[in-house]
Amino acid sequence: MSGPRSVALVTLGCTRNEVDSEELAGRLSAQGWTLVEDAGQADVAVVNTCGFVEQAKKDSIDALLEASDLKEHGKTQAVVAVGCLAQRYGEQLAEQLPEADAVLGFDSYADMSSHLQGILDGERPASHAPVDRRTLLPLAPAARHTRSSGVSLPGHQQAPRARAELADVAPASGPPVVRARLEDKPWAPLKLASGCDRRCAFCAIPMFRGSFVSRRPEEVLAEAQWLADRGVRELFLVSENTTSYGKDLGDLRLLEQLLPDLSAIGGIERVRVSYLQPAEIRPGLLDAMAGTPGVVPYFDISFQHASGPLLRSMRRFGDRESFLGLLRQVRDRLPEAGVRTNVIVGLPGETEQDLHELEAFLGEARLDVVGVFGYSDEDGTEAEGYADKLDEHTIQERVARLSALVEELTAQRASERVGSQVCVLVEEIDPDTGAVVGRAEQQGPDVDGSTTVLGLRGASVGDLVRAVVVDTDGVDLVARPVPEHRDAAAAR
């Protein structure tokens, strides 16, 4: 094939996948590929799949099939599956989905350009052969960085280090950054680490993402500066387990030390921390998050349930009282803090008493956002072999029951914010009505609700606007700007 080559990256799943897609985009751009948004206008559509839960797998399969249809109706010549579903199932996925021209795992990312060119030239690369990635690095966290150069870690900037090959790099004094922004948003996810050392009975992520590996602080800071230089105002720190950051680098306090440095970067106004494990949250981390200017009062805590016995069955720690105690520690420091969590219902052996305990916790916890998931067997997990499984109808009944409760409780929590002052990052302006929509400090990206600011003139995406909450719509807030911020153009 001669002439410019074009590629579109279609991303499913979490913000960690967004980072991986943008790193892939940076590598491909540096190798001469033209990035396009519309898969139907690209020579190759690369679908970055999710393999977390059953619904996510179905969504990924649907996206691959939709992209494959473009080969008959658009410019698209090839469709390639990458990401967690491809990593987890590899050859099995390729066999069941012949519409995909290739199924490639994480180890293919470093040379993705050659793989895609070969596919366009008529080659059919061998499909990824899955392996438990926990076996690829030493068991001892401190020993992992001596061997990690030979293990692919998506989002860790392991692209070729020759600066002349890079289209966009950090300052010469810092590590190179190989990443291309795929969306013009005023916020961006920034990966702190990959993998997980926890052994939750229901979760397969450690098997296909591998053991926990932190990125070095200088690499994180270089990428943060790169993002700031491109107009990012809010950094969203992501990983599979942010509370473990630094343990493999010899210092569990690294995050506390990193937060002030990230907040001090010119252009960065907000730093948001996500994916906190309750059993690992330390008072020092709470102090750093509460006391560092620019770190928003937002706590994404993975409770998963509140019944002590069921949490033990999940291979997790805690119970209703200990979780409520943790929330008191958070609110003693930051009374206005926003807290989100996810819970799973329907785990094998879950009793009505367990469910009542979860409901009681939710009633007391005053959480801003709660994601409710129904349990499903995940291949290779401990819970897959548990007895006392609940039937699908019962699981869905419990999901509906908890979802209704959560909808009521989170709406009540939002209403408590009426009269309070918030700082809204403007993300969208309706071209017809001029309605300004963004997020307050307590609202995380995409899934935590939004804030509509009424009566704001001259706003632009990326503005930070002080406003007072005057109404709510479910978890969404409605606010009016304080007088000095009513004219956003003047405020700038």
Side-chain angles (χ1 to χ4, degrees):
M1 178 181 174
S2 60
R5 305 159 294 175
S6 59
V7 60
L9 287 109
V10 180
T11 307
L12 293 96
C14 65
T15 47
R16 300 185 294 273
N17 251 16
E18 288 186 36
V19 177
D20 297 351
S21 286
E22 292 198 346
E23 187 184 78
L24 272 176
R27 292 175 174 176
L28 292 169
S29 178
Q31 294 294 323
W33 290 80
T34 299
L35 304 175
V36 298
E37 292 184 16
D38 184 354
Q41 299 301 313
D43 295 312
V44 184
V46 176
V47 181
N48 190 355
T49 60
C50 179
F52 178 44
V53 293
E54 196 61 34
Q55 186 57 54
K57 298 175 198 173
K58 292 177 181 177
D59 292 343
S60 294
I61 295 294
D62 289 343
L64 286 163
L65 291 173
E66 289 175 14
S68 296
D69 287 343
L70 297 173
K71 290 190 285 186
E72 295 183 10
H73 307 294
K75 178 183 178 182
T76 310
Q77 300 176 51
V79 173
V80 177
V82 299
C84 292
L85 191 68
Q87 177 68 33
R88 185 175 180 185
Y89 292 105
E91 297 161 325
Q92 181 183 346
L93 177 63
E95 182 179 341
Q96 296 178 357
L97 196 72
E99 292 87 350
D101 296 278
V103 176
L104 303 177
F106 298 150
D107 296 329
S108 300
Y109 284 21
D111 198 25
M112 186 60 66
S113 176
S114 297
H115 289 298
L116 299 188
Q117 184 60 64
I119 292 165
L120 289 178
D121 291 340
E123 300 173 9
R124 182 87 178 194
S127 299
H128 167 64
V131 63
D132 188 335
R133 292 184 73 80
R134 293 173 295 187
T135 64
L136 301 182
L137 290 170
L139 185 62
R144 290 172 189 163
H145 284 267
T146 62
R147 286 178 48 191
S148 61
S149 59
V151 177
S152 179
L153 300 170
H156 281 232
Q157 300 293 319
Q158 293 175 301
R161 292 298 182 183
R163 291 177 184 265
E165 298 178 3
L166 304 180
D168 227 350
V169 298
S173 60
V177 174
V178 187
R179 180 171 176 174
R181 300 288 330 266
L182 295 175
E183 293 186 65
D184 188 21
K185 301 183 294 191
W187 69 274
L190 176 60
K191 186 172 282 193
L192 291 178
S194 287
C196 185
D197 287 342
R198 301 185 71 86
R199 294 296 180 263
C200 300
F202 56 86
C203 183
I205 288 175
M207 286 186 283
F208 58 85
R209 277 289 182 178
S211 300
F212 184 88
V213 180
S214 302
R215 296 181 66 193
R216 296 189 181 278
E218 60 269 22
E219 295 176 359
V220 175
L221 288 168
E223 190 168 346
Q225 181 65 65
W226 183 92
L227 290 166
D229 291 344
R230 283 149 187 80
V232 169
R233 306 204 72 185
E234 178 181 309
L235 299 173
F236 187 41
L237 306 184
V238 300
S239 72
E240 272 78 26
N241 179 5
T242 300
T243 34
S244 282
Y245 180 71
K247 74 173 187 178
D248 51 324
L249 297 175
D251 190 353
L252 264 175
R253 297 170 300 171
L254 272 186
L255 182 57
E256 290 101 294
Q257 300 165 26
L258 183 62
L259 289 176
D261 293 335
L262 289 169
S263 298
I265 293 172
I268 297 300
E269 299 290 343
R270 304 205 307 202
V271 177
R272 187 176 301 276
V273 183
S274 67
Y275 300 104
L276 303 174
Q277 290 292 338
E280 298 181 33
I281 295 177
R282 307 168 299 281
L285 178 58
L286 293 180
D287 291 339
M289 292 178 66
T292 303
V295 175
V296 294
Y298 173 86
F299 293 80
D300 175 12
I301 305 176
S302 177
F303 289 121
Q304 301 298 348
H305 212 282
S307 163
L310 197 74
L311 284 162
R312 299 298 89 73
S313 181
M314 288 180 165
R315 303 301 181 205
R316 295 178 63 85
F317 302 93
D319 54 28
R320 173 167 53 130
E321 287 306 316
S322 66
F323 291 166
L324 291 173
L326 175 59
L327 292 174
R328 284 192 293 272
Q329 292 183 56
V330 169
R331 289 170 176 143
D332 284 346
R333 293 166 169 83
L334 292 167
E336 78 281 13
V339 184
R340 81 165 331 272
T341 196
N342 293 318
V343 297
I344 298 174
V345 295
L347 193 87
E350 182 186 57
T351 65
E352 274 293 325
Q353 181 58 41
D354 293 325
L355 204 60
H356 288 319
E357 190 74 359
L358 176 56
E359 290 171 326
F361 168 70
L362 294 174
E364 297 177 77
R366 296 171 56 237
L367 302 174
D368 293 80
V369 179
V370 181
V372 180
F373 294 88
Y375 171 81
S376 61
D377 280 338
E378 294 297 321
D379 297 332
T381 60
E382 181 181 354
E384 184 185 23
Y386 282 0
D388 300 324
K389 284 191 168 60
L390 305 181
D391 62 79
E392 185 61 26
H393 177 70
T394 299
I395 293 174
Q396 291 309 312
E397 276 191 337
R398 293 186 177 186
V399 169
R401 171 176 157 185
L402 262 291
S403 296
L405 175 63
V406 161
E407 183 176 0
E408 177 183 352
L409 292 172
T410 54
Q412 290 174 4
R413 175 61 175 150
S415 69
E416 294 176 12
R417 298 196 182 277
V418 172
S420 65
Q421 189 173 119
V422 293
C423 183
V424 180
L425 176 65
V426 177
E427 295 185 321
E428 180 183 347
I429 300 172
D430 189 301
D432 298 321
T433 66
V436 175
V437 180
R439 286 179 296 108
E441 305 100 312
Q442 298 86 359
Q443 296 170 319
D446 293 338
V447 294
D448 286 0
S450 62
T451 299
T452 298
V453 184
L454 305 175
L456 184 63
R457 301 184 297 269
S460 297
V461 170
D463 285 348
L464 284 164
V465 179
R466 287 281 172 192
V468 175
V469 180
V470 297
D471 200 358
T472 63
D473 182 7
V475 298
D476 296 329
L477 306 179
V478 180
R480 289 191 178 276
V482 298
E484 61 267 31
H485 279 247
R486 193 164 293 142
D487 190 328
R492 288 196 300 275

